[in-house]
Amino acid sequence: MHNNSTTRPLATPPLSSTPRFKQLSRTPFVSDAVAKHYDSHCLIDSRFRRAARLLQILWMRDQNIPNAAVEERGAHLGSYLRADAAESGQNFISPQVHLLALRELLLREEDAAIDEDRLITNTLSSMPLVFNVFGPLALDKNLAAAVFRQLLPDFVHSVERIAFEHSPGRRDDRYLSDRSAFDIAAHVVSPGGEAGIVYAEVKYSEDMTGPAARWRERYDQALKEVRLYKDPDSPILRSTPVEQLVREHALAQLSVDHGITPRAMFICIAPRLNRRANAAFRVYANELLPVPDDDLTRVRFQHFTLETLIDAIDVAGAPEMADQLWRRYCDFQRVYDAALAVIAPKAPCSEPPNPTTAAPTADAHSKTRPRKAGSRTRRTQPDGQAGVFDPAEASHG
């Protein structure tokens, strides 16, 4: 989606010395009893996904968004929007982002894998998260430039446009001969004035356990062609938690090799508390060859936490947007409070957890420190259904 703004990007603001958001050091444990109490009990949820699902339900209650009934989905799970709420765009951060998502849905690339149900109905999915985080940046190039310059100061000076669910060569034999694609492709201009693309993959509640793509002979060939890996035949590159990262990084490198762009960067983003996603990023990074500083044709890989991205949005001059995103996706203090309200209803839930477990964790890729969580309101409802199994959320959230 092109931005109508033609003004020069604003200077990147200096980082604040006073942190505003602060994350817990580990995911609050949500027991079966607590999950059932809040209509968030799903049998396949990991610890993080269970907490993230409860956070989405609390956010929906804050916004007075009704959830889907048994008749709509065959089972009751409070993190799904009721059909009328979904169709009116309540899964998105603003009406403008909702409209952007609908336009991208209509003008999506040929054979693009956009699941409309996940996009507009599932609060836990990473698909609406991508639009909620990057949609406002696609609509405001100045804001996009200020955010990307904090994350990738040596690679980005300005942002020209952001494409969603993009592939430089879907089902093209020169690439991977499949449907592999990126969540976003940000077309940028480097500090040196050269065009480039930042390709990004965003995870939210995914536990990196699959399902994995069917491994093709073309992948074996591509891993050798791109010259990114210490050992292109390594079984780690073919493992379920890592293979998607392999495909997308190879696709990014092939886009440079085939002249789509002179330079590219591949980045991955996940919440700090999604330890499985972040572990997969670290394992993958360890499989990569070092890139010489003077080789601009190699596509580098970096990973960031969602908290770091929200912090960059805040410092870039959009604090209200940062607050909205934090409350929706990262305020796990609320999950802690909500769980405590059920298991110890007389306890003063406004008190923070023990300082030894509430201390922020270090983020090696963050340019800023974590910030203090926002407001904490708690609501409860009668006990919900027992366990719900939703295979659509097994790996995609």
Side-chain angles (χ1 to χ4, degrees):
M1 176 63 64
H2 291 276
N3 188 312
N4 294 326
S5 172
T6 58
T7 58
R8 292 178 60 83
L10 300 175
T12 304
L15 297 176
S16 172
S17 59
T18 305
R20 204 162 69 82
F21 299 126
K22 183 166 66 175
Q23 186 57 279
L24 302 180
S25 65
R26 66 175 61 96
T27 304
F29 177 76
V30 177
S31 67
D32 287 349
V34 171
K36 291 173 184 177
H37 185 83
Y38 289 102
D39 282 345
S40 65
H41 190 229
C42 183
L43 292 173
I44 63 172
D45 281 351
S46 64
R47 175 167 171 165
F48 177 79
R49 195 202 306 271
R50 179 172 283 200
R53 191 185 302 281
L54 177 51
L55 180 57
Q56 294 308 301
I57 291 171
L58 297 173
W59 170 80
M60 288 173 66
R61 294 183 184 183
D62 287 346
Q63 308 301 316
N64 295 315
I65 298 174
N67 54 35
V70 175
E71 294 76 17
E72 289 186 70
R73 306 202 65 87
H76 185 64
L77 197 56
S79 54
Y80 283 91
L81 275 67
R82 198 170 70 191
D84 57 339
E87 291 170 3
S88 65
Q90 295 188 58
N91 205 15
F92 299 96
I93 196 170
S94 70
Q96 294 78 18
V97 171
H98 176 221
L99 182 58
L100 171 67
L102 295 180
R103 287 173 172 169
E104 293 291 333
L105 187 66
L106 291 174
L107 293 176
R108 61 183 179 263
E109 296 174 2
E110 296 294 332
D111 211 15
I114 297 181
D115 186 324
E116 184 174 353
D117 180 66
R118 286 176 58 208
L119 178 64
I120 69 171
T121 304
N122 186 350
T123 62
L124 195 61
S125 171
S126 58
M127 193 170 289
L129 166 63
V130 169
F131 278 97
N132 284 329
V133 171
F134 290 101
L137 307 189
L139 296 170
D140 185 343
K141 290 193 294 186
N142 286 342
L143 177 60
V147 171
F148 274 98
R149 283 204 300 268
Q150 291 181 71
L151 298 177
L152 302 167
D154 297 329
F155 193 81
V156 177
H157 171 69
S158 62
V159 177
E160 300 301 304
R161 63 186 179 93
I162 295 177
F164 294 85
E165 190 59 27
H166 170 72
S167 172
R170 194 178 277 108
R171 296 197 189 277
D172 189 325
D173 291 342
R174 296 173 303 165
Y175 293 90
L176 299 181
S177 301
D178 67 0
R179 300 175 69 194
S180 294
F182 304 96
D183 286 326
I184 69 151
H187 294 252
V188 306
V189 176
S190 73
E194 190 173 32
I197 299 177
V198 178
Y199 295 112
E201 176 65 28
V202 180
K203 302 297 185 186
Y204 183 54
S205 66
E206 291 90 337
D207 57 13
M208 314 302 280
T209 58
R214 175 180 60 84
W215 195 263
R216 295 164 165 83
E217 182 181 353
R218 174 58 187 142
Y219 298 168
D220 290 322
Q221 298 168 350
L223 264 58
K224 293 178 173 65
E225 287 178 21
V226 296
R227 297 179 290 117
L228 293 170
Y229 305 107
K230 297 173 184 176
D231 178 10
D233 296 318
S234 169
I236 294 175
L237 299 176
R238 292 152 176 81
S239 66
T240 299
V242 169
E243 62 84 23
Q244 183 186 13
L245 311 181
V246 173
R247 287 185 285 114
E248 293 188 12
H249 196 178
L251 189 61
Q253 184 61 61
L254 289 168
S255 76
V256 174
D257 295 345
H258 290 297
I260 297 294
T261 178
R263 300 181 64 190
M265 176 78 73
F266 176 47
I267 67 172
C268 288
I269 296 164
R272 179 178 288 118
L273 296 183
N274 187 338
R275 299 187 184 278
R276 295 184 184 182
N278 285 291
F281 299 161
R282 292 191 297 270
V283 168
Y284 177 66
N286 194 52
E287 294 297 305
L288 297 172
L289 287 168
V291 179
D293 291 339
D294 60 350
D295 189 352
L296 302 182
T297 67
R298 297 294 88 197
V299 176
R300 288 171 168 80
F301 170 71
Q302 291 192 41
H303 55 98
F304 303 92
T305 66
L306 180 58
E307 289 87 339
T308 297
L309 177 55
I310 292 173
D311 183 80
I313 291 169
D314 185 37
V315 175
E320 184 176 345
M321 175 186 167
D323 286 339
Q324 286 180 283
L325 292 171
W326 180 268
R327 289 194 297 269
R328 168 89 186 254
Y329 293 111
C330 293
D331 191 2
F332 287 92
Q333 173 72 47
R334 294 203 60 201
V335 175
Y336 170 89
D337 288 347
L340 193 62
V342 174
I343 65 175
K346 295 183 179 180
C349 294
S350 60
E351 291 184 1
N354 185 299
T356 61
T357 62
T361 54
D363 177 7
H365 297 279
S366 175
K367 302 293 183 182
T368 60
R369 289 180 289 174
R371 300 184 166 187
K372 185 177 179 181
S375 62
R376 307 179 193 123
T377 58
R378 294 177 301 280
R379 301 181 188 178
T380 59
Q381 65 179 35
D383 287 355
Q385 296 263 344
V388 175
F389 178 83
D390 189 347
E393 291 194 341
S395 62
H396 299 295

